[in-house]
Amino acid sequence: MDSRSFLDWYAPYRTGFEWGFWIVLYLVNGVANSLVRVLEIEAADSTARWEPIVWECSSALALLLLVWPVVVFTRHWAWSWSHPVRWLAGHVLASVVFSLAHVLLMVAMREVAYRLAGGNYDFGYWPGELVYEYLKDARTYAGIVLFIEGYRFILRRLAGEARWLDAPPDGRPDRESDDDAADGPPDHCDRFLVKMLGREFLVPAADIDYAQAAGNYVNLVVGRREYPLRSTMKGLLERLDPERFRRVHRSYLVRIDRVAEIEPLESGDAKLKLVDGTELPCSRSYRSGLT
């Protein structure tokens, strides 16, 4: 099975696999840590055997609930070679927020469990415990981020990265002269080139169903395939035919003839439903561009 066949097979199961991985990971982790803690209880210890199970399972469940926010954050806070210190500082700050959220969630769960058991949970001296938990959570956060980015990197390699057919090696649009550059935006492109595992093939730009911003990339969605293009959303719009494509959100653009329904929301925004059933957000500021 080549990479394209694998991705076609994998696409319908991707979301289930991703969530299944994290659920199984933290389920196994919670159960294993609980068993270890139970076995460590001495006969003379006043700790009930259910208590370490509550401690470990509440921690694992809290971490599981925080995976999705980390996925969203890393999607918007992508690596930048031009601002590595800024990127790192953002993740350090995010790790602090991650640790605080982890502690608050697991303590709340433990409080509930202890109340149901007729007891009272004592987290201990908060300043000291928060520092202790952060030292552990920072490593956990880094591991989650590295795994997510590694997984995305593998998918990009399998899917193949895209570039405009007429773009020079530095990625900037072709211009015949400096005078052309002063005239306005680049010409609209009708094809883009995909490089995938040593192979190259052309894809018509008119086949793009929609595009989604993903950090330093914009994912071009063509049917069931996604092709990451190193570009900004603004730069992509300049390369596409404005009669066919519209921006509908700060992170999305869509091919107009793929929109089947526009569902207004009370907030003034809207939800778009494409002909294949895909749903996309539409900000109120972009709704007028669809009519």
Side-chain angles (χ1 to χ4, degrees):
M1 180 184 293
D2 60 23
S3 61
R4 293 183 68 182
S5 299
F6 170 76
L7 289 174
D8 286 343
W9 170 84
Y10 180 61
Y13 308 107
R14 178 175 172 178
T15 301
F17 172 82
E18 291 170 352
W19 275 110
F21 170 82
W22 292 110
I23 290 172
V24 171
L25 175 67
Y26 284 111
L27 176 63
V28 171
N29 190 56
V31 171
N33 288 343
S34 296
L35 291 174
V36 171
R37 294 291 291 271
V38 168
L39 293 174
E40 288 176 344
I41 296 177
E42 300 291 341
D45 197 332
S46 61
T47 302
R49 291 186 178 273
W50 60 267
E51 291 184 80
I53 297 175
V54 169
W55 302 339
E56 295 300 332
C57 289
S58 61
S59 177
L61 180 56
L63 290 173
L64 177 60
L65 294 174
L66 292 172
V67 168
W68 176 242
V70 176
V71 169
V72 174
F73 177 71
T74 55
R75 187 176 295 147
H76 295 283
W77 195 259
W79 167 260
S80 172
W81 288 104
S82 58
H83 300 95
V85 176
R86 177 173 173 268
W87 177 85
L88 181 60
H91 277 296
V92 170
L93 178 59
S95 70
V96 174
V97 175
F98 176 87
S99 182
L100 286 173
H102 175 224
V103 170
L104 292 175
L105 282 170
M106 72 179 185
V107 168
M109 294 177 194
R110 293 173 185 179
E111 290 280 3
V112 171
Y114 271 73
R115 285 179 182 273
L116 292 175
N120 182 50
Y121 176 70
D122 180 17
F123 182 61
Y125 180 62
W126 275 81
E129 291 297 329
L130 286 175
V131 172
Y132 171 74
E133 291 294 336
Y134 177 73
L135 294 177
K136 296 190 300 179
D137 289 342
R139 289 175 294 171
T140 300
Y141 176 84
I144 293 173
V145 170
L146 290 174
F147 180 87
I148 291 171
E149 295 297 354
Y151 172 71
R152 288 173 178 163
F153 176 82
I154 292 172
L155 288 183
R156 286 199 297 269
R157 296 284 80 75
L158 292 174
E161 292 195 25
R163 70 173 177 84
W164 292 114
L165 184 60
D166 60 344
D170 62 4
R172 293 174 297 178
D174 261 347
R175 301 297 185 110
E176 293 183 359
S177 67
D178 292 336
D179 291 336
D180 291 338
D183 289 339
D187 294 334
H188 305 132
C189 299
D190 60 356
R191 292 178 296 175
F192 59 91
L193 180 70
V194 174
K195 288 188 175 182
M196 182 174 60
L197 301 178
R199 299 165 54 206
E200 297 183 352
F201 58 96
L202 298 175
V203 178
D207 286 354
I208 298 173
D209 295 323
Y210 67 94
Q212 178 183 8
N216 293 327
Y217 288 85
V218 176
N219 289 328
L220 308 178
V221 180
V222 180
R224 295 168 61 183
R225 298 193 181 96
E226 292 184 6
Y227 302 114
L229 172 73
R230 187 175 287 275
S231 172
T232 62
M233 188 64 74
K234 181 177 181 294
L236 174 60
L237 278 169
E238 290 177 346
R239 307 290 285 178
L240 294 174
D241 184 352
E243 297 298 320
R244 291 188 172 189
F245 295 91
R246 293 283 193 280
R247 190 167 188 170
V248 296
H249 186 273
R250 64 188 299 270
S251 299
Y252 290 90
L253 64 81
V254 68
R255 197 173 91 213
I256 298 175
D257 62 7
R258 297 294 290 170
V259 178
E261 297 178 18
I262 302 176
E263 179 184 340
L265 303 176
E266 292 183 1
S267 62
D269 297 334
K271 182 167 62 176
L272 306 182
K273 188 171 184 179
L274 307 190
V275 293
D276 64 356
T278 300
E279 294 184 349
L280 302 178
C282 179
S283 301
R284 69 180 75 182
S285 56
Y286 294 109
R287 280 183 60 184
S288 59
L290 293 174
T291 57

